[in-house]
């Protein structure tokens, strides 16, 4: 029951509708309450009961909502879409939908007349209900009646009803019936009611002329089927017209279907054409003129603006000459069409945005694209100037050039444009990887011999310049590190090692640390080794360091004698020719001085060796060692050195000076300050500890003028003897005396000796005269008159020892009869054992040399066997 109510309670029957159960009127389906709530905010509380307003609006409505005064629903729009609309409903107003909006429905009166026309009773409500009702009374819109229920009982019913409703009694309740098509009365234009329209029902309680059209109506035939129009009268079938009924009646329908043929002046010519000037006189073949079919009949082509002898210049400022447009007529008029063809041109400031790299020309609001629209391809240069590229600015170090970026003007202004053209680039130090490749050694310089590179390119090294800036921000490793931050370091070969340094042996593979080689930095040690100084080279035999090479270095870390000798050394002078060994040393063969000139002190031990003193030799008879003499070698060789070391002389321990006559003849008081004995011009060895004495003595009693004053080398002291006694000198060791001198006393020249004898003795027993001044004249010439003045050295006459007996068979123990000592110039008489006779009579001693040297003792005749 309730469900039927839902289905049928579309119109204003008192059918209870709760707001909890809205429904889709057009489709008869309930919709969920939630949906209604959502779409209808502010609705009445659930449970309220309302009655929907009546009227035809429901034919075009969905999702209706009514709160008693306000009705909202989605209404069908002319374009068939649905749109929500609302309206206020007062009392029993009925509504309809016109152009998608609610409007009051006044259709009731019209329909009432239709019903009357098709003879429905107007005093009652139509429908089947009447067959099961009694005592009905319709007063106004209120129908009172008794209805028979299905069980045959009767029930009193009062209902409000619109009189064109068809009602049905269902078990004692009135329901609205679907309206019969006949209730439409007439169909829409070009349709007619079906013949059985009374028996066909519309879909709703009221028929919808459009919605129920196809159910209720048949199409009539179009006027085009009329073939009987009077063409002589220029009558033609109305192409838009319809006959009266389902089938055209060639005669009856002529009045509505035959119309005058259309004239061209009603035709809108297709683009590019205008009506012919006499279009109002030209009739088309049909009731309408067709733009295409009748084009050539009615229209003529417009002339092209391009036929006019004009250009853009002939148009006003702000206009362009549109040669693609058409003149007003077939023939262009060079006055009126100029205006038509000159059309508004687009000003640059509105019509064109300059593309990247271009700038609007100044005053571009007064510059026009000579066209309706600006076309960037055509008008770019009309409206815009090319901006100067940022590349016109040299950003310089630390900034990077933005590509495809432009200055703010047609030329760059450093002040204005630098900042946006040249962003600061990031520093290389920001790169995570600071490594650079190290040099390439093995690049061959093209010269390959037997598979080996014979000339290597110098190495190229790189160093990471932390102070450098990348070409962008942030730095990009692949671009900046190797090509910007890593800088090429010069090969070490570009560095000149300073004096004292040499290239390292692998110099070709080495590079400096940073860019250009700088010898004051670490590069020195990267590229160079310390060269060995010449002074580390031992020049070797025969060579000596070149003094000019004090700042000279070998061309390597160590000096090499073969390579560097000429650099560092000079030939050394040969000792043998350039050095004289000093006394006591002997030249050493094949030695060189230790410098380019010989130095006495420095080179002594190099050129010389200590010579062996002659004392290593034993001098032969009558020879004594030369004073302070050395053999001519490091050892003494008798055959070579004997007579070098020994000279004729006699080493004696005792000497005696015997005055014979004084300057004052007859006087005996002799005096002398000092007395010297010399061996080879120097005082004899032991002179300092020689003992001077007299025996007998006749010296003053005061003991101040004793002989020892003679040895004190003091001119103020003297020896004096009143009786001209001799004085003696005793040497601690025997020494040969080759000369002697004395110093005159401090006073009394008459006390100077002028004749004297000097004696010597080896043993204080045997004495021999060593020197003798025999006459005054000689003595006066020797002894100076001046006091405390020396005589100068007086040569001794060297005496001889007798020949050595042990070498002479059968000689006497004393080989000379005169004794063992023979005075210079005296003779030795050889002495043999008894029974033997010397083979020489005499041997003479001349200055220490016996002549002949020796003798032999021959056995006497008859006594010759020993
Ligand atoms: C305009 O047309 C007339 C007639 O054709 C002609 O005489 C005249 O020279 C034209 N004017 C120009 C500016 O072309
Ligand atoms: C020029 O650029 C402005 C701003 O982007 C835009 O609104 C306008 O439509 C552009 N004009 C043309 C002709 O492209
Ligand atoms: C560059 O621009 C500055 C700031 O606007 C201006 O003062 C200067 O005259 C300009 N220089 C040139 C050469 O145009
Ligand atoms: C070499 O290095 C020194 C010290 O670092 C510096 O003072 C000098 O200017 C550098 N010389 C050159 C030519 O770069
Ligand atoms: C001479 O020499 C011999 C043998 O040596 C010796 O016996 C003798 O006494 C010596 N005569 C004298 C006088 O010394």
């Amino acid at each position: 029951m309730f469900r039927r109510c839902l289905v049928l309670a579309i119109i204003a029957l008192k059918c209870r509708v709760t707001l909890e159960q809205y429904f889709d009127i057009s489709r008869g389906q309930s919709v969920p309450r939630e949906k209604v709530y959502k779409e209808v905010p502010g609705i009445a509380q659930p449970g309220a009961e309302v009655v929907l307003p009546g009227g035809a609006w429901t034919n075009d409505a969905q999702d209706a909502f009514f709160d008693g005064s306000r009705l909202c629903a989605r209404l069908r729009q002319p374009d068939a879409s649905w749109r929500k609309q609302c309206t206020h409903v007062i009392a029993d107003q009925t509504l309809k939908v016109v152009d998608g909006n609610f409007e009051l429905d006044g259709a009731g009166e019209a329909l009432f007349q239709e019903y009357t026309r098709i003879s429905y009773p107007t005093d009652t409500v139509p429908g089947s209900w009447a067959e099961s009702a009694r005592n009905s009374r319709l007063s106004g819109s209120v129908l009172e009646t008794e209805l028979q229920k299905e069980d045959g009982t009767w029930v009193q019913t009062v209902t409000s009803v619109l009189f064109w409703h068809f009602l049905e009694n269902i078990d004692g309740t009135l329901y609205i019936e679907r309206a019969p098509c006949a209730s439409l009365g007439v169909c829409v234009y070009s349709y007619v009611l079906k013949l059985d329209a009374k028996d066909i029902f519309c879909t709703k309680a009221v028929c919808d002329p459009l919605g129920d059209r196809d159910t209720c109506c048949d199409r009539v035939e179009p006027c085009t089927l009329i073939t009987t129009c009077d063409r002589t009268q220029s009558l033609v079938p109305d192409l838009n017209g319809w006959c009266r009924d389902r089938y055209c009646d060639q005669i009856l329908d002529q009045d509505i279907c035959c119309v005058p043929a259309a004239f061209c002046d009603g035709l809108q010519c297709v683009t590019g054409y205008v009506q012919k000037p006499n279009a109002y006189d030209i009739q088309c073949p049909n009731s309408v003129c067709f733009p295409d079919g009748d084009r050539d009949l009615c229209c003529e082509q417009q002339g092209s603006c391009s036929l006019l002898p004009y250009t853009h210049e002939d148009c006003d400022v702000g206009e362009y000459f549109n040669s693609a447009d058409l003149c007003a007529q077939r023939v262009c008029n060079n006055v009126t069409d100029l205006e038509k063809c000159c059309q508004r041109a687009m000003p640059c400031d509105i019509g064109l945005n300059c593309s990247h790299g271009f700038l609007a020309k100044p005053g571009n609001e007064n510059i026009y694209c000579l066209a309706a629209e600006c076309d960037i391809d055509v008008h770019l240069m009309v409206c815009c100037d090319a901006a100067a590229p940022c590349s016109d600015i040299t950003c310089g170090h630390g900034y990077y050039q933005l590509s495809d970026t432009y200055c703010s003007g047609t030329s760059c202004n450093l002040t204005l444009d630098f900042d946006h053209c040249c962003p600061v680039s990031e520093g290389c130090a920001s790169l995570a990887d600071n490594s650079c490749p190290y040099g390439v050694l093995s690049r061959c310089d093209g010269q390959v011999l037997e598979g080996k590179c014979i000339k290597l390119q110098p190495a190229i090294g790189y160093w990471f310049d932390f102070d450098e800036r990348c070409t962008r921000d942030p730095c990009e490793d692949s671009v900046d590190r190797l090509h910007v931050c890593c800088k090429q370091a010069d090969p070490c070969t570009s560095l000149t090692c300073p004096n004292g340094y040499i290239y390292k042996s692998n110099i070709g593979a080495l590079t400096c640390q940073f860019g250009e080689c700088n010898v004051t930095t670490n590069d020195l040690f990267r590229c160079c080794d310390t060269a060995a100084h010449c002074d580390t080279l031992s020049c070797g035999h025969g060579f000596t360091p070149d003094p000019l090479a004090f700042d000279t270095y070998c061309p390597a870390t160590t000096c090499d004698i073969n390579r560097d000798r000429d650099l560092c050394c000079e030939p050394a002078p040969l000792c043998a020719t350039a050095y004289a060994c000093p006394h006591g040393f002997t030249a050493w063969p094949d030695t060189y001085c230790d410098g380019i000139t010989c130095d006495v002190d420095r080179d002594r031990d190099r050129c010389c060796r200590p010579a062996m003193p002659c004392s290593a030799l034993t001098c032969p008879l009558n020879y004594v060692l030369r004073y302070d003499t050395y053999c001519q070698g490091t050892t003494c060789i008798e055959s070579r050195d004997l007579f070098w070391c020994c000279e004729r002389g006699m080493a004696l321990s005792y000497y005696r000076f015997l005055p014979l006559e004084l300057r004052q003849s007859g006087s005996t008081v002799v005096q002398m300050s000092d007395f010297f004995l010399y061996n080879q011009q120097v005082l004899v060895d032991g002179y300092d500890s020689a003992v001077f004495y007299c025996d007998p003595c006749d010296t003053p009693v005061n003991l101040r003028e004793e002989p020892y004053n003679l040895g004190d080398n003091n001119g103020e002291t003297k020896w004096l003897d009143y009786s001209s006694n001799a004085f003696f000198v005793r040497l601690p060791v025997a020494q040969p005396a080759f000369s002697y001198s004395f110093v005159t006393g401090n006073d009394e020249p008459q006390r100077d000796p002028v004749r004297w004898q000097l004696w010597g003795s080896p043993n204080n027993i045997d004495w021999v005269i060593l020197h003798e001044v025999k006459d005054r004249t000689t003595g006066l010439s020797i002894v100076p008159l001046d006091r405390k003045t020396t005589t100068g050295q007086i040569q001794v006459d060297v005496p001889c020892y007798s020949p050595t007996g042990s070498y002479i068979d059968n000689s006497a123990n004393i080989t000379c009869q005169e004794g063992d000592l023979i005075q210079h110039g005296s003779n030795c008489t050889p002495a043999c054992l008894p029974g033997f006779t010397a083979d020489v009579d005499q041997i003479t001693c001349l200055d220490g040399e016996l002549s002949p040297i020796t003798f032999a003792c021959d056995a006497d005749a008859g006594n010759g066997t020993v």
Side-chain angles (χ1 to χ4, degrees):
M1 171 67 197
F2 183 62
R3 186 178 159 76
R4 294 207 47 186
C5 178
L6 284 181
V7 170
L8 296 172
I10 310 167
I11 311 296
L13 280 184
K14 297 258 182 195
C15 187
R16 291 181 176 180
V17 177
T18 68
L19 287 168
E20 290 162 88
Q21 290 290 163
Y22 282 95
F23 49 89
D24 183 329
I25 296 168
S26 62
R27 283 180 290 157
Q29 289 174 354
S30 66
V31 292
R33 178 178 142 191
E34 291 78 11
K35 182 179 175 195
V36 175
Y37 285 161
K38 272 185 204 152
E39 295 182 356
V40 189
I43 58 174
Q45 287 301 305
E49 293 183 4
V50 294
V51 178
L52 288 175
W57 65 274
T58 52
N59 290 341
D60 300 295
Q62 294 180 346
D63 300 339
F65 157 71
F66 185 45
D67 64 3
S69 66
R70 194 169 72 112
L71 173 66
C72 291
R74 301 208 303 137
L75 302 184
R76 192 197 316 268
Q77 301 297 306
D79 62 0
S81 67
W82 294 85
R83 195 146 68 91
K84 184 182 170 189
Q85 302 287 5
C86 296
T87 189
H88 286 279
V89 182
I90 301 166
D92 283 347
Q93 283 179 338
T94 57
L95 301 169
K96 62 181 177 183
V97 174
V98 177
D99 290 333
N101 290 312
F102 285 112
E103 277 188 14
L104 286 177
D105 188 0
E109 291 77 45
L111 206 60
F112 175 75
Q113 284 158 26
E114 275 301 315
Y115 278 18
T116 311
R117 193 177 65 83
I118 58 177
S119 63
Y120 279 120
T122 56
D123 57 347
T124 186
V125 177
S128 61
W129 66 281
E131 292 160 14
S132 54
R134 62 183 187 191
N135 300 330
S136 303
R137 189 162 58 91
L138 177 67
S139 52
S141 63
V142 177
L143 175 65
E144 283 180 63
T145 186
E146 283 175 55
L147 293 180
Q148 186 170 32
K149 297 177 68 172
E150 283 173 5
D151 60 6
T153 62
W154 295 86
V155 61
Q156 180 73 30
T157 303
V158 179
T159 187
S160 168
V161 69
L162 293 180
F163 41 77
W164 55 86
H165 286 162
F166 291 76
L167 300 180
E168 181 184 10
N169 170 17
I170 297 176
D171 199 18
T173 303
L174 283 175
Y175 287 87
I176 298 168
E177 274 190 327
R178 292 199 294 172
C181 280
S183 68
L184 267 177
V186 292
C187 287
V188 296
Y189 178 63
S190 77
Y191 288 84
V192 290
L193 275 177
K194 290 192 169 160
L195 296 177
D196 52 352
K198 272 193 170 179
D199 304 323
I200 309 171
F201 293 88
C202 294
T203 53
K204 305 283 173 60
V206 173
C207 287
D208 173 8
L210 287 175
D212 293 319
R213 186 192 67 190
D214 292 341
T215 307
C216 298
C217 309
D218 286 331
R219 190 85 201 240
V220 300
E221 282 184 339
C223 287
T224 50
L225 296 180
I226 298 294
T227 57
T228 55
C229 292
D230 183 359
R231 294 202 172 255
T232 62
Q233 300 284 320
S234 289
L235 293 177
V236 292
D238 183 356
L239 296 182
N240 295 322
W242 298 87
C243 294
R244 288 188 171 81
D245 212 339
R246 287 174 190 80
Y247 304 104
C248 288
D249 184 315
Q250 291 293 337
I251 303 304
L252 289 182
D253 288 329
Q254 271 182 9
D255 59 341
I256 57 169
C257 282
C258 292
V259 296
F263 284 90
C264 279
D265 56 1
L267 178 68
Q268 178 74 43
C269 289
V270 296
T271 308
Y273 287 80
V274 288
Q275 285 179 359
K276 290 179 177 171
N278 58 340
Y280 54 86
D281 268 346
I282 307 171
Q283 258 187 316
C284 291
N286 293 305
S287 65
V288 294
C289 293
F290 295 100
D292 292 317
D294 296 325
R295 187 193 71 184
D296 294 339
L297 179 68
C298 299
C299 309
E300 61 188 8
Q301 219 170 344
Q302 288 168 273
S304 166
C305 286
S306 63
L307 296 173
L308 282 173
Y310 296 124
T311 63
H312 299 304
E313 277 103 65
D314 298 303
C315 297
D316 291 341
V317 171
E319 292 183 334
Y320 75 106
F321 187 79
N322 187 355
S323 55
D325 207 342
L326 299 170
C327 295
Q329 301 297 328
R330 187 175 59 83
V331 177
C332 291
N333 178 302
N334 63 11
V335 177
T336 58
D337 283 328
L338 177 59
E339 267 176 51
K340 184 175 190 297
C341 295
C342 281
Q343 296 168 1
R344 263 183 62 122
M346 183 63 87
C348 282
D349 62 336
I350 296 169
L352 189 125
N353 287 335
C354 291
S355 52
H356 183 63
F358 290 86
L359 300 163
K361 284 188 171 164
N364 69 340
E365 66 273 15
N366 294 320
I367 302 175
Y368 295 86
C369 301
L370 294 176
E373 297 286 336
C374 290
D375 178 350
I376 192 116
D377 293 333
V378 177
H379 299 113
L380 179 63
M381 297 313 290
V382 172
C383 296
C384 309
D385 287 325
C390 276
S391 58
D392 284 1
I393 293 179
T394 305
C395 289
H397 188 244
Y399 299 87
Y400 63 97
Q401 202 108 38
L402 283 178
S403 63
D404 195 26
T405 311
Y406 295 85
C407 290
S408 55
T410 52
S411 64
C412 292
N413 178 327
L414 215 54
T415 320
L416 293 175
D417 297 320
F418 187 85
D419 285 351
H420 79 265
C421 283
C422 302
V424 178
S425 42
E426 178 63 289
C428 285
S430 69
L431 277 173
D433 185 355
N434 300 329
S435 64
C436 288
Y438 185 67
V440 196
L441 168 62
S442 49
R443 275 197 307 146
C444 195
D445 196 16
Q447 304 200 37
V448 180
L449 191 64
E450 291 173 356
K452 276 185 169 177
C453 187
I454 58 173
K455 186 176 176 199
L456 281 177
Q457 285 272 35
I460 299 171
Y462 295 87
W463 58 285
F464 191 89
D465 186 350
F466 284 90
D467 294 334
E468 185 52 276
R469 304 202 78 91
C470 297
T471 59
R472 62 205 63 217
D473 181 12
C475 294
E476 191 175 313
D477 188 89
S478 63
V479 179
D480 292 315
R481 183 164 61 86
L482 295 186
H483 299 112
V484 176
C485 300
C486 286
K487 294 189 168 167
Q488 206 164 318
D490 276 359
C492 270
T493 50
S494 70
L495 179 114
T496 307
C497 291
N499 189 29
Y501 293 87
I502 47 139
Y503 278 151
K504 289 189 189 256
S505 57
N506 57 338
I507 185 70
L510 299 177
T511 63
C512 290
Q513 193 168 9
F514 307 116
E516 261 185 42
C517 293
N518 183 338
V519 81
T520 66
T521 67
N522 205 29
D523 288 341
L524 176 61
F525 306 103
R526 290 171 73 92
C527 301
C528 310
D529 280 329
T530 309
H533 192 278
C534 267
D535 63 14
T536 63
L537 177 70
S538 161
C539 284
H541 191 61
F543 289 86
T544 184
D546 182 350
L548 296 177
F550 61 89
D551 190 25
T552 305
Y553 295 83
C554 297
T557 52
T558 55
C559 291
D560 179 72
I561 187 71
N562 293 321
R563 179 189 61 210
D564 302 323
R565 189 164 65 193
D566 289 348
L567 180 71
C568 298
C569 307
E570 283 284 290
L574 185 63
C575 288
T577 55
Y579 188 86
C581 287
H583 186 66
F585 289 84
T586 181
W588 196 245
D590 193 26
T591 53
Y592 297 85
C593 288
D594 191 17
I596 53 167
T597 55
C598 293
D599 180 87
V600 172
D601 293 328
R602 181 194 64 207
D603 295 323
R604 190 194 70 185
D605 293 341
R606 181 175 280 269
C607 292
C608 312
R609 293 293 179 277
M612 187 170 275
C614 281
S615 57
L617 288 176
T618 305
C619 289
L621 186 67
N622 297 328
Y623 283 78
V624 291
L625 287 174
R626 285 184 206 272
Y627 175 75
D628 190 25
T629 304
Y630 294 83
C631 293
Q632 294 160 290
T634 53
T635 57
C636 291
I637 298 170
E638 192 170 303
S639 60
R640 178 189 66 197
D641 297 320
L642 189 60
F643 292 102
W644 163 261
C645 288
C646 302
E647 67 175 334
R648 277 171 281 171
M650 188 171 285
L652 301 171
S653 295
Y654 299 89
Y655 292 87
R656 182 173 63 165
F657 185 91
L658 176 61
L660 294 179
E661 185 182 342
L662 305 180
R663 200 181 291 273
Q664 182 179 21
S665 294
S667 169
T668 59
V669 181
V670 63
Q671 66 174 26
M672 195 182 282
S673 283
D674 291 295
F675 178 83
F676 301 103
L677 286 168
Y678 302 96
N679 178 358
Q680 257 97 17
Q681 320 299 323
V682 299
L683 285 172
V684 292
D685 270 359
Y687 176 83
D688 287 346
S689 44
V691 179
F692 288 77
Y693 62 96
C694 50
D695 182 20
C697 303
D698 188 8
T699 53
V701 289
N702 62 16
L703 297 181
R704 284 212 306 257
E705 296 174 7
E706 293 299 303
Y708 62 76
N709 287 333
L710 293 165
D712 64 2
N713 197 10
N714 181 351
E716 302 301 331
T717 63
K718 68 183 176 191
W719 158 72
L720 184 147
D721 194 291
Y722 295 111
S723 305
S724 287
N725 285 315
F727 65 83
F728 294 82
V729 182
R730 191 180 77 231
L731 297 176
V733 287
Q735 288 289 302
F738 291 93
S739 57
Y740 64 97
S741 66
F742 58 84
V743 178
T744 54
N746 59 336
D747 57 6
E748 305 290 344
Q750 60 269 21
R751 292 177 186 167
D752 296 339
V754 294
R755 283 202 307 114
W756 66 84
Q757 286 177 334
L758 179 67
W759 291 77
S761 168
N763 49 13
N764 207 17
I765 298 168
D766 301 316
W767 291 89
V768 63
I769 293 175
L770 298 175
H771 186 242
E772 177 172 29
V773 177
K774 291 180 177 163
D775 55 278
R776 279 186 67 86
T777 313
T778 305
L780 288 171
S781 71
I782 292 174
V783 182
L785 256 180
D786 295 339
R787 299 299 79 204
K788 299 187 280 187
T789 302
T790 186
T791 57
Q793 289 189 30
I794 304 157
Q795 291 297 314
V796 162
D797 299 320
V798 180
C800 303
Y801 283 106
S802 310
T804 305
S806 56
Y807 294 122
I808 305 168
D809 291 342
N810 304 313
S811 64
N813 284 7
I814 307 294
T815 53
C816 292
Q817 289 176 15
E818 290 83 6
D820 271 343
L821 300 172
I822 311 295
Q823 189 190 346
H824 161 71
S826 300
N827 289 333
C828 154
T829 306
C832 294
L833 289 176
F836 296 86
T837 305
D839 62 349
V840 295
D841 289 341
Q842 286 194 323
I843 295 176
T844 306
C845 170
L846 275 174
D847 203 15
E849 186 149 63
L850 293 171
S851 175
I853 292 172
T854 189
F855 67 97
C857 287
D858 297 333
D860 294 341
N863 196 16
T865 55
V866 180

